Amino acid sequence: MSTLSELLARHTRLPGAAVGHLQRIVAEWQLLADLAFADLLMWVPVPVAAPSADFLCVAHVRPTTGPTVHPEDMVGTRAADAERHRLREALLRSEERRVGKECRSR
């Protein structure tokens, strides 16, 4: 399994300061996942041959306080076609997106 910094170095052109910032965020994620009773996925846009952006999951944290939505590790996977639209919209609006059985996207 690749580390966050390896994935970012291989698939993005983020400067070291941005990579460090993302690493600090992920280091504190476990508490947030537990309080939210939710899986947290960090998706980053990556260049592709097609004109539309693709997204790569670079971090995945599961809650210890409840069941996981993604039993398989999502790190290193690309977003499915159905997810790309929501990810692009979240990126453009600079807001989180909630998707699941109990909640709908805002």
Side-chain angles (χ1 to χ4, degrees):
M1 177 183 5
S2 298
T3 66
L4 173 61
S5 58
E6 289 171 341
L7 285 169
L8 293 172
R10 190 176 317 130
H11 297 283
T12 72
R13 294 185 179 155
L14 289 174
V19 171
H21 182 68
L22 294 177
Q23 287 174 321
R24 287 188 299 279
I25 290 171
V26 172
E28 301 298 326
W29 258 15
Q30 189 62 61
L31 177 61
L32 184 57
D34 289 343
L35 291 172
F37 302 100
D39 287 53
L40 301 179
L41 303 173
M42 181 180 287
W43 296 95
V44 295
V46 293
V48 292
S52 62
D54 194 10
F55 291 87
L56 179 72
C57 181
V58 295
H60 178 189
V61 178
R62 294 178 181 88
T64 57
T65 54
T68 182
V69 174
H70 300 283
E72 70 284 354
D73 188 8
M74 297 297 291
V75 173
T77 64
R78 300 239 178 200
D81 290 337
E83 298 169 322
R84 284 192 193 113
H85 172 71
R86 286 191 294 255
L87 290 168
R88 272 191 224 106
E89 188 176 321
L91 182 64
L92 291 173
R93 292 182 180 202
S94 298
E95 64 184 23
E96 96 281 352
R97 303 296 287 179
R98 293 173 175 251
V99 179
K101 295 176 185 172
E102 310 81 36
C103 44
R104 287 183 255 160
S105 296
R106 301 192 265 167

Short mmCIF file of all heavy atoms in Angstrom, two decimals, residues 32-79:
data_model
loop_
_atom_site.label_atom_id
_atom_site.label_comp_id
_atom_site.label_asym_id
_atom_site.label_seq_id
_atom_site.Cartn_x
_atom_site.Cartn_y
_atom_site.Cartn_z
N LEU A 32 -12.29 12.51 14.30
CA LEU A 32 -13.40 13.03 13.52
C LEU A 32 -14.26 11.90 12.95
O LEU A 32 -15.49 11.96 13.00
CB LEU A 32 -12.89 13.92 12.39
CG LEU A 32 -13.94 14.61 11.53
CD1 LEU A 32 -14.87 15.47 12.38
CD2 LEU A 32 -13.27 15.45 10.46
N ALA A 33 -13.63 10.85 12.44
CA ALA A 33 -14.38 9.69 11.92
C ALA A 33 -15.20 9.04 13.03
O ALA A 33 -16.35 8.65 12.82
CB ALA A 33 -13.43 8.68 11.30
N ASP A 34 -14.62 8.94 14.22
CA ASP A 34 -15.34 8.35 15.36
C ASP A 34 -16.52 9.22 15.79
O ASP A 34 -17.60 8.71 16.06
CB ASP A 34 -14.39 8.13 16.54
CG ASP A 34 -13.40 7.02 16.29
OD1 ASP A 34 -13.63 6.20 15.38
OD2 ASP A 34 -12.39 6.96 17.02
N LEU A 35 -16.33 10.52 15.87
CA LEU A 35 -17.41 11.42 16.28
C LEU A 35 -18.53 11.47 15.24
O LEU A 35 -19.69 11.63 15.59
CB LEU A 35 -16.86 12.83 16.53
CG LEU A 35 -15.96 12.97 17.76
CD1 LEU A 35 -15.35 14.36 17.79
CD2 LEU A 35 -16.72 12.69 19.03
N ALA A 36 -18.17 11.33 13.97
CA ALA A 36 -19.15 11.39 12.89
C ALA A 36 -19.76 10.01 12.59
O ALA A 36 -20.70 9.93 11.81
CB ALA A 36 -18.50 11.94 11.63
N PHE A 37 -19.20 8.95 13.19
CA PHE A 37 -19.64 7.59 12.89
C PHE A 37 -19.60 7.34 11.38
O PHE A 37 -20.54 6.78 10.81
CB PHE A 37 -21.06 7.32 13.42
CG PHE A 37 -21.21 7.52 14.90
CD1 PHE A 37 -21.76 8.69 15.39
CD2 PHE A 37 -20.78 6.55 15.79
CE1 PHE A 37 -21.89 8.89 16.76
CE2 PHE A 37 -20.91 6.74 17.16
CZ PHE A 37 -21.46 7.91 17.64
N ALA A 38 -18.52 7.80 10.73
CA ALA A 38 -18.47 7.75 9.27
C ALA A 38 -17.07 7.47 8.75
O ALA A 38 -16.08 7.85 9.38
CB ALA A 38 -18.95 9.08 8.71
N ASP A 39 -17.02 6.84 7.59
CA ASP A 39 -15.76 6.72 6.86
C ASP A 39 -15.41 8.10 6.31
O ASP A 39 -16.31 8.84 5.91
CB ASP A 39 -15.92 5.80 5.65
CG ASP A 39 -16.03 4.34 6.01
OD1 ASP A 39 -16.90 3.99 6.84
OD2 ASP A 39 -15.28 3.55 5.44
N LEU A 40 -14.14 8.44 6.30
CA LEU A 40 -13.68 9.68 5.68
C LEU A 40 -12.74 9.31 4.54
O LEU A 40 -11.80 8.52 4.73
CB LEU A 40 -12.96 10.56 6.69
CG LEU A 40 -13.76 10.98 7.92
CD1 LEU A 40 -12.90 11.82 8.85
CD2 LEU A 40 -15.01 11.73 7.53
N LEU A 41 -13.01 9.85 3.37
CA LEU A 41 -12.17 9.61 2.19
C LEU A 41 -11.63 10.93 1.71
O LEU A 41 -12.37 11.92 1.62
CB LEU A 41 -12.98 8.97 1.07
CG LEU A 41 -13.68 7.65 1.37
CD1 LEU A 41 -14.57 7.25 0.21
CD2 LEU A 41 -12.68 6.57 1.67
N MET A 42 -10.34 10.98 1.41
CA MET A 42 -9.74 12.18 0.83
C MET A 42 -9.48 11.91 -0.64
O MET A 42 -8.68 11.05 -0.99
CB MET A 42 -8.43 12.55 1.52
CG MET A 42 -7.80 13.81 0.97
SD MET A 42 -6.25 14.26 1.78
CE MET A 42 -6.86 14.85 3.35
N TRP A 43 -10.19 12.63 -1.49
CA TRP A 43 -10.05 12.51 -2.93
C TRP A 43 -9.28 13.72 -3.45
O TRP A 43 -9.54 14.84 -3.03
CB TRP A 43 -11.42 12.49 -3.61
CG TRP A 43 -12.26 11.31 -3.26
CD1 TRP A 43 -13.21 11.24 -2.28
CD2 TRP A 43 -12.23 10.03 -3.87
NE1 TRP A 43 -13.77 9.99 -2.26
CE2 TRP A 43 -13.19 9.22 -3.23
CE3 TRP A 43 -11.47 9.47 -4.91
CZ2 TRP A 43 -13.42 7.90 -3.59
CZ3 TRP A 43 -11.71 8.16 -5.27
CH2 TRP A 43 -12.67 7.39 -4.62
N VAL A 44 -8.35 13.51 -4.36
CA VAL A 44 -7.62 14.61 -4.99
C VAL A 44 -7.80 14.50 -6.50
O VAL A 44 -7.85 13.40 -7.05
CB VAL A 44 -6.12 14.62 -4.63
CG1 VAL A 44 -5.91 14.87 -3.16
CG2 VAL A 44 -5.42 13.35 -5.07
N PRO A 45 -7.94 15.66 -7.17
CA PRO A 45 -8.03 15.61 -8.63
C PRO A 45 -6.67 15.25 -9.23
O PRO A 45 -5.63 15.70 -8.74
CB PRO A 45 -8.44 17.03 -9.01
CG PRO A 45 -8.04 17.88 -7.85
CD PRO A 45 -8.03 17.00 -6.64
N VAL A 46 -6.70 14.40 -10.23
CA VAL A 46 -5.47 14.00 -10.92
C VAL A 46 -5.68 14.15 -12.42
O VAL A 46 -6.79 13.97 -12.91
CB VAL A 46 -5.05 12.55 -10.57
CG1 VAL A 46 -4.64 12.44 -9.12
CG2 VAL A 46 -6.15 11.55 -10.88
N PRO A 47 -4.61 14.47 -13.15
CA PRO A 47 -4.76 14.65 -14.60
C PRO A 47 -5.02 13.31 -15.28
O PRO A 47 -4.53 12.26 -14.86
CB PRO A 47 -3.41 15.23 -15.02
CG PRO A 47 -2.48 14.99 -13.91
CD PRO A 47 -3.28 14.74 -12.67
N VAL A 48 -5.83 13.38 -16.31
CA VAL A 48 -6.13 12.21 -17.15
C VAL A 48 -6.07 12.64 -18.61
O VAL A 48 -6.03 13.83 -18.90
CB VAL A 48 -7.52 11.61 -16.84
CG1 VAL A 48 -7.55 10.98 -15.47
CG2 VAL A 48 -8.61 12.63 -16.98
N ALA A 49 -6.09 11.67 -19.50
CA ALA A 49 -6.05 11.99 -20.93
C ALA A 49 -7.33 12.68 -21.38
O ALA A 49 -7.31 13.54 -22.25
CB ALA A 49 -5.83 10.71 -21.73
N ALA A 50 -8.46 12.32 -20.78
CA ALA A 50 -9.74 12.94 -21.15
C ALA A 50 -9.80 14.36 -20.61
O ALA A 50 -9.09 14.70 -19.66
CB ALA A 50 -10.88 12.10 -20.59
N PRO A 51 -10.67 15.21 -21.17
CA PRO A 51 -10.76 16.59 -20.70
C PRO A 51 -11.28 16.74 -19.28
O PRO A 51 -10.98 17.72 -18.61
CB PRO A 51 -11.72 17.26 -21.68
CG PRO A 51 -12.18 16.21 -22.62
CD PRO A 51 -11.50 14.93 -22.32
N SER A 52 -12.06 15.79 -18.79
CA SER A 52 -12.60 15.91 -17.43
C SER A 52 -11.61 15.37 -16.41
O SER A 52 -10.85 14.45 -16.69
CB SER A 52 -13.93 15.17 -17.31
OG SER A 52 -13.72 13.80 -17.56
N ALA A 53 -11.64 15.95 -15.22
CA ALA A 53 -10.72 15.53 -14.16
C ALA A 53 -11.13 14.18 -13.60
O ALA A 53 -12.30 13.85 -13.51
CB ALA A 53 -10.69 16.57 -13.05
N ASP A 54 -10.14 13.42 -13.22
CA ASP A 54 -10.35 12.16 -12.53
C ASP A 54 -9.98 12.42 -11.07
O ASP A 54 -9.32 13.41 -10.76
CB ASP A 54 -9.46 11.09 -13.14
CG ASP A 54 -9.85 9.68 -12.70
OD1 ASP A 54 -10.91 9.52 -12.09
OD2 ASP A 54 -9.09 8.76 -12.99
N PHE A 55 -10.40 11.55 -10.18
CA PHE A 55 -10.09 11.72 -8.77
C PHE A 55 -9.51 10.43 -8.22
O PHE A 55 -9.96 9.34 -8.55
CB PHE A 55 -11.36 12.09 -7.99
CG PHE A 55 -11.86 13.46 -8.32
CD1 PHE A 55 -12.71 13.66 -9.39
CD2 PHE A 55 -11.46 14.55 -7.57
CE1 PHE A 55 -13.16 14.93 -9.70
CE2 PHE A 55 -11.91 15.82 -7.87
CZ PHE A 55 -12.77 16.01 -8.95
N LEU A 56 -8.51 10.57 -7.36
CA LEU A 56 -7.82 9.45 -6.73
C LEU A 56 -8.00 9.55 -5.22
O LEU A 56 -7.82 10.63 -4.64
CB LEU A 56 -6.33 9.50 -7.07
CG LEU A 56 -5.45 8.42 -6.48
CD1 LEU A 56 -5.72 7.08 -7.15
CD2 LEU A 56 -3.99 8.80 -6.62
N CYS A 57 -8.35 8.44 -4.59
CA CYS A 57 -8.46 8.41 -3.13
C CYS A 57 -7.06 8.25 -2.55
O CYS A 57 -6.37 7.27 -2.84
CB CYS A 57 -9.36 7.26 -2.69
SG CYS A 57 -9.57 7.19 -0.90
N VAL A 58 -6.63 9.22 -1.74
CA VAL A 58 -5.28 9.19 -1.17
C VAL A 58 -5.28 8.90 0.32
O VAL A 58 -4.22 8.68 0.90
CB VAL A 58 -4.50 10.49 -1.47
CG1 VAL A 58 -4.25 10.63 -2.97
CG2 VAL A 58 -5.21 11.70 -0.92
N ALA A 59 -6.46 8.91 0.95
CA ALA A 59 -6.55 8.60 2.38
C ALA A 59 -7.96 8.08 2.69
O ALA A 59 -8.94 8.53 2.10
CB ALA A 59 -6.24 9.82 3.23
N HIS A 60 -8.02 7.12 3.61
CA HIS A 60 -9.30 6.52 4.02
C HIS A 60 -9.20 6.18 5.50
O HIS A 60 -8.30 5.46 5.91
CB HIS A 60 -9.53 5.26 3.19
CG HIS A 60 -10.80 4.53 3.54
ND1 HIS A 60 -11.07 3.29 3.03
CD2 HIS A 60 -11.84 4.83 4.35
CE1 HIS A 60 -12.24 2.87 3.48
NE2 HIS A 60 -12.72 3.80 4.30
N VAL A 61 -10.10 6.75 6.28
CA VAL A 61 -10.14 6.47 7.72
C VAL A 61 -11.52 5.93 8.05
O VAL A 61 -12.54 6.49 7.65
CB VAL A 61 -9.84 7.75 8.54
CG1 VAL A 61 -9.92 7.47 10.03
CG2 VAL A 61 -8.49 8.30 8.17
N ARG A 62 -11.55 4.83 8.80
CA ARG A 62 -12.80 4.20 9.21
C ARG A 62 -13.09 4.52 10.67
O ARG A 62 -12.17 4.63 11.47
CB ARG A 62 -12.71 2.69 9.06
CG ARG A 62 -12.57 2.22 7.65
CD ARG A 62 -12.43 0.69 7.62
NE ARG A 62 -12.28 0.21 6.28
CZ ARG A 62 -11.11 0.10 5.66
NH1 ARG A 62 -9.99 0.42 6.27
NH2 ARG A 62 -11.06 -0.34 4.42
N PRO A 63 -14.37 4.62 11.03
CA PRO A 63 -14.70 4.86 12.43
C PRO A 63 -14.50 3.59 13.25
O PRO A 63 -14.74 2.49 12.77
CB PRO A 63 -16.18 5.24 12.38
CG PRO A 63 -16.71 4.50 11.18
CD PRO A 63 -15.57 4.51 10.19
N THR A 64 -14.06 3.75 14.49
CA THR A 64 -13.99 2.60 15.40
C THR A 64 -15.27 2.50 16.22
O THR A 64 -15.47 1.53 16.93
CB THR A 64 -12.77 2.71 16.34
OG1 THR A 64 -12.86 3.94 17.06
CG2 THR A 64 -11.47 2.64 15.58
N THR A 65 -16.13 3.52 16.08
CA THR A 65 -17.36 3.60 16.87
C THR A 65 -18.57 3.03 16.16
O THR A 65 -19.67 3.08 16.69
CB THR A 65 -17.65 5.06 17.23
OG1 THR A 65 -17.67 5.82 16.00
CG2 THR A 65 -16.61 5.62 18.17
N GLY A 66 -18.41 2.55 14.95
CA GLY A 66 -19.55 2.03 14.20
C GLY A 66 -19.09 1.28 12.96
O GLY A 66 -17.89 1.16 12.70
N PRO A 67 -20.06 0.79 12.19
CA PRO A 67 -19.70 0.02 10.99
C PRO A 67 -19.11 0.91 9.90
O PRO A 67 -19.37 2.12 9.86
CB PRO A 67 -21.04 -0.57 10.55
CG PRO A 67 -22.07 0.35 11.11
CD PRO A 67 -21.50 0.89 12.39
N THR A 68 -18.33 0.30 9.04
CA THR A 68 -17.73 1.02 7.93
C THR A 68 -18.62 0.89 6.69
O THR A 68 -19.31 -0.11 6.52
CB THR A 68 -16.31 0.49 7.63
OG1 THR A 68 -15.75 1.25 6.57
CG2 THR A 68 -16.33 -0.98 7.23
N VAL A 69 -18.60 1.90 5.87
CA VAL A 69 -19.33 1.87 4.61
C VAL A 69 -18.50 1.18 3.54
O VAL A 69 -19.02 0.54 2.64
CB VAL A 69 -19.71 3.30 4.16
CG1 VAL A 69 -20.34 3.31 2.79
CG2 VAL A 69 -20.63 3.95 5.18
N HIS A 70 -17.18 1.30 3.66
CA HIS A 70 -16.26 0.74 2.67
C HIS A 70 -15.39 -0.32 3.34
O HIS A 70 -14.32 0.00 3.86
CB HIS A 70 -15.36 1.83 2.08
CG HIS A 70 -16.10 2.93 1.40
ND1 HIS A 70 -16.64 2.80 0.14
CD2 HIS A 70 -16.42 4.18 1.81
CE1 HIS A 70 -17.24 3.92 -0.20
NE2 HIS A 70 -17.12 4.78 0.80
N PRO A 71 -15.80 -1.58 3.33
CA PRO A 71 -14.99 -2.61 3.97
C PRO A 71 -13.62 -2.79 3.29
O PRO A 71 -12.65 -3.16 3.93
CB PRO A 71 -15.82 -3.88 3.87
CG PRO A 71 -16.96 -3.58 2.99
CD PRO A 71 -17.04 -2.10 2.79
N GLU A 72 -13.55 -2.49 1.99
CA GLU A 72 -12.27 -2.58 1.28
C GLU A 72 -11.54 -1.24 1.40
O GLU A 72 -12.16 -0.19 1.53
CB GLU A 72 -12.49 -2.94 -0.19
CG GLU A 72 -13.14 -1.85 -1.04
CD GLU A 72 -14.64 -1.68 -0.84
OE1 GLU A 72 -15.28 -2.46 -0.12
OE2 GLU A 72 -15.18 -0.71 -1.39
N ASP A 73 -10.22 -1.30 1.39
CA ASP A 73 -9.42 -0.08 1.48
C ASP A 73 -9.56 0.69 0.17
O ASP A 73 -9.31 0.15 -0.90
CB ASP A 73 -7.96 -0.44 1.74
CG ASP A 73 -7.10 0.76 2.03
OD1 ASP A 73 -7.64 1.87 2.19
OD2 ASP A 73 -5.87 0.59 2.12
N MET A 74 -9.96 1.94 0.25
CA MET A 74 -10.19 2.75 -0.94
C MET A 74 -8.93 3.48 -1.42
O MET A 74 -8.91 4.01 -2.53
CB MET A 74 -11.29 3.78 -0.66
CG MET A 74 -12.65 3.16 -0.35
SD MET A 74 -13.33 2.22 -1.72
CE MET A 74 -13.67 3.54 -2.89
N VAL A 75 -7.88 3.52 -0.61
CA VAL A 75 -6.66 4.24 -0.98
C VAL A 75 -6.08 3.66 -2.27
O VAL A 75 -5.93 2.45 -2.41
CB VAL A 75 -5.61 4.18 0.15
CG1 VAL A 75 -4.29 4.78 -0.29
CG2 VAL A 75 -6.13 4.90 1.39
N GLY A 76 -5.79 4.56 -3.21
CA GLY A 76 -5.22 4.16 -4.48
C GLY A 76 -6.25 3.88 -5.56
O GLY A 76 -5.89 3.62 -6.70
N THR A 77 -7.55 3.97 -5.22
CA THR A 77 -8.59 3.73 -6.22
C THR A 77 -9.01 5.04 -6.87
O THR A 77 -8.90 6.11 -6.28
CB THR A 77 -9.83 3.05 -5.62
OG1 THR A 77 -10.42 3.92 -4.66
CG2 THR A 77 -9.48 1.73 -4.97
N ARG A 78 -9.49 4.93 -8.09
CA ARG A 78 -10.02 6.09 -8.80
C ARG A 78 -11.52 6.15 -8.59
O ARG A 78 -12.17 5.13 -8.38
CB ARG A 78 -9.72 5.96 -10.30
CG ARG A 78 -8.23 5.88 -10.56
CD ARG A 78 -7.79 6.97 -11.43
NE ARG A 78 -6.33 6.87 -11.62
CZ ARG A 78 -5.62 7.87 -12.02
NH1 ARG A 78 -6.20 9.02 -12.27
NH2 ARG A 78 -4.33 7.76 -12.17
N ALA A 79 -12.06 7.34 -8.65
CA ALA A 79 -13.50 7.52 -8.46
C ALA A 79 -14.27 6.86 -9.59
O ALA A 79 -13.87 6.93 -10.75
CB ALA A 79 -13.82 9.01 -8.40
#
